[in-house]
Amino acid sequence: MLRSLLLPSHVRLRAQLDEVLDMELIQQQVDHGALDLHRLAGYITNTMASLCAPVRDPEVRALRGLGDPVELLRGIFRVLGLMKTDMVNFTIQSLRPHLLQQAVQYERAKFQQILDKQPASLDHTAAWLQAAASEEAAAAGARSESSSPDRRGPVSATAVLDRACVRLLRWDPRDQKYPETVLMDRARLDALGQRLQMLVLEASVLLLTNAQCGDAVFSLQGFVGRLRQSVAALLEGSHTREADLKGALPGLGETVLQLLTEAVSDQGGAALPPESQHLLKGQISELWKHNHPVRTLIGERVQGFLRATLQGGLAKRSPEPPAALRLVGAELAELATAFGRIVHFNRSVFGPFYAPVLRKLLFPPGEDETGEDSR
């Protein structure tokens, strides 16, 4: 196993290992009772120390303090296994860019073959981008009206594609016109969409609760954690169907009020007034409605955060989440990273197919093009 950790450049070290770890010689020494196990183990651990990653240094040093031969050999093989795993991971990381490039070229060529046989294979993709372009144009118009009504720049192709990708996370399952270029990623995107829906509901409950009880209760140690655990437990499995969600929310409202009452009581504070309790429970019970003001607000903030993450790219640090999403910021950032990887790879593969569609949508014949890259 130690030899498998050597690189081709380790010619001298390989020769030393072959000499020291000569199995015939070791067998003869064992037969004559002349094997110095500790000296042999010392050479092996020293060699391991010169080959291992820095993270394994403490474990290799610990081997030198073992006196029992059985424990020493067991420890050597355990650490060698870890070093082998480190080597495999390093090799995979080194090959990852080349493998990704090969995957991009392969998937692009396969899709081109499909497109050559079935020219209509981009119809759903074109409709998807058309809807996103309309949304982006409306959003850009609203921004320009609020800032400078006389200045309205062209819609960015990148912004349209970002908006289109975020729309996939809230895709209506009854809509059969799923974009052809994203079909292979649909299962993963649907799973992310369900996680995102759960985060939106969780953030909505937290915002409503904070608005009623104030920061004094939310700052209590452990309160937010208990509240989030209760929300996740009671909404698990029910957030994907409207009827199930509608039935689960009243019980969640009762649980939230119970947690609030216990937290305030432990601090010797006054309980929420009955009208505030009734209002909070009613607001939580109404969260099943897609047009609920708080749920809509949180959803818009989440979508804006995801678009900002896509604009930054994989190499840049994710933007800070808005204040309304701060309590679910870690989970949202993790989801955004996973989403960004899927989108980045998809654009690498299908960017050449998106470009002409976006050009036709954004720059009709006779208009000037700004030449934005769809990738």
Side-chain angles (χ1 to χ4, degrees):
M1 185 181 291
L2 190 57
R3 291 189 182 92
S4 65
L5 299 174
L6 300 180
L7 299 176
S9 58
H10 291 148
V11 178
R12 183 177 178 182
L13 184 55
R14 188 181 299 275
Q16 290 178 354
L17 281 177
D18 291 340
E19 180 180 348
V20 175
L21 301 180
D22 185 343
M23 296 309 298
E24 291 186 7
L25 177 60
I26 291 176
Q27 184 62 51
Q28 292 176 9
Q29 291 175 339
V30 170
D31 293 340
H32 293 84
L35 177 64
D36 189 344
L37 183 59
H38 287 285
R39 185 184 69 83
L40 183 61
Y43 174 81
I44 293 175
T45 53
N46 289 336
T47 304
M48 291 168 61
S50 66
L51 295 174
C52 71
V55 71
R56 303 300 176 198
D57 287 342
E59 294 175 89
V60 174
R61 283 196 298 268
L63 293 176
R64 293 168 176 161
L66 297 177
D68 182 21
V70 176
E71 292 296 327
L72 178 59
L73 290 175
R74 184 180 290 120
I76 286 175
F77 281 108
R78 183 184 65 82
V79 177
L80 282 174
L82 295 175
M83 291 172 61
K84 184 68 174 177
T85 302
D86 295 338
M87 178 65 75
V88 172
N89 290 335
F90 173 76
T91 303
I92 292 175
Q93 290 178 358
S94 301
L95 294 175
R96 187 186 301 273
H98 306 286
L99 295 175
L100 284 176
Q101 186 60 33
Q102 292 293 325
V104 166
Q105 295 175 0
Y106 176 79
E107 291 196 25
R108 186 183 298 166
K110 284 296 182 182
F111 189 79
Q112 183 63 58
Q113 292 176 7
I114 295 174
L115 198 59
D116 292 339
K117 296 178 181 179
Q118 302 175 359
S121 296
L122 277 177
D123 288 357
H124 293 170
T125 299
W128 166 58
L129 293 176
Q130 173 68 69
S134 300
E135 285 187 12
E136 182 61 26
R143 289 193 299 267
S144 64
E145 289 293 335
S146 61
S147 58
S148 177
D150 298 329
R151 298 183 60 186
R152 181 177 296 187
V155 175
S156 163
T158 302
V160 170
L161 201 50
D162 288 343
R163 187 175 291 273
C165 291
V166 172
R167 290 183 78 244
L168 294 171
L169 296 178
R170 49 189 177 91
W171 193 271
D172 185 352
R174 294 169 296 182
D175 188 351
Q176 300 298 319
K177 297 180 179 180
Y178 203 79
E180 299 90 346
T181 55
V182 203
L183 277 174
M184 294 293 291
D185 298 314
R186 183 169 188 176
R188 290 191 294 166
L189 288 170
D190 286 349
L192 290 178
Q194 292 180 10
R195 286 175 55 192
L196 189 62
Q197 185 178 353
M198 186 69 175
L199 283 177
V200 168
L201 289 170
E202 188 174 335
S204 300
V205 172
L206 293 174
L207 185 61
L208 289 171
T209 307
N210 190 23
Q212 290 298 327
C213 69
D215 293 334
V217 177
F218 258 58
S219 61
L220 296 177
Q221 184 177 5
F223 174 75
V224 173
R226 292 193 299 272
L227 182 58
R228 292 190 60 187
Q229 288 177 358
S230 299
V231 173
L234 292 175
L235 295 185
E236 183 66 32
S238 64
H239 63 284
T240 57
R241 294 182 56 190
E242 188 174 287
D244 294 339
L245 180 61
K246 186 177 180 180
L249 286 172
L252 175 60
E254 292 285 357
T255 302
V256 170
L257 288 177
Q258 181 181 351
L259 290 173
L260 272 176
T261 302
E262 293 175 355
V264 172
S265 176
D266 291 342
Q267 296 298 314
L272 281 178
E275 59 271 16
S276 297
Q277 295 185 25
H278 180 72
L279 177 60
L280 177 58
K281 183 178 177 181
Q283 289 175 330
I284 292 176
S285 299
E286 294 293 312
L287 281 175
W288 64 272
K289 298 179 180 178
H290 291 283
N291 62 348
H292 189 285
V294 174
R295 183 174 175 179
T296 301
L297 172 67
I298 295 296
E300 291 175 351
R301 294 290 187 272
V302 166
Q303 293 171 38
F305 174 78
L306 292 175
R307 289 196 296 270
T309 302
L310 293 179
Q311 291 172 6
L314 294 177
K316 296 183 179 179
R317 183 179 179 182
S318 297
E320 290 294 325
L325 304 175
R326 187 178 66 255
L327 295 177
V328 296
E331 293 81 359
L332 185 59
E334 180 183 349
L335 186 148
T337 300
F339 178 59
R341 290 196 186 102
I342 296 174
V343 171
H344 176 74
F345 182 77
N346 180 270
R347 291 185 185 182
S348 298
V349 175
F350 298 102
F353 303 102
Y354 293 143
V357 177
L358 290 170
R359 189 178 300 114
K360 183 178 179 180
L361 291 173
L362 302 179
F363 312 110
E367 293 189 11
D368 294 333
E369 298 182 11
T370 58
E372 293 233 21
D373 188 354
S374 63
R375 290 173 291 179

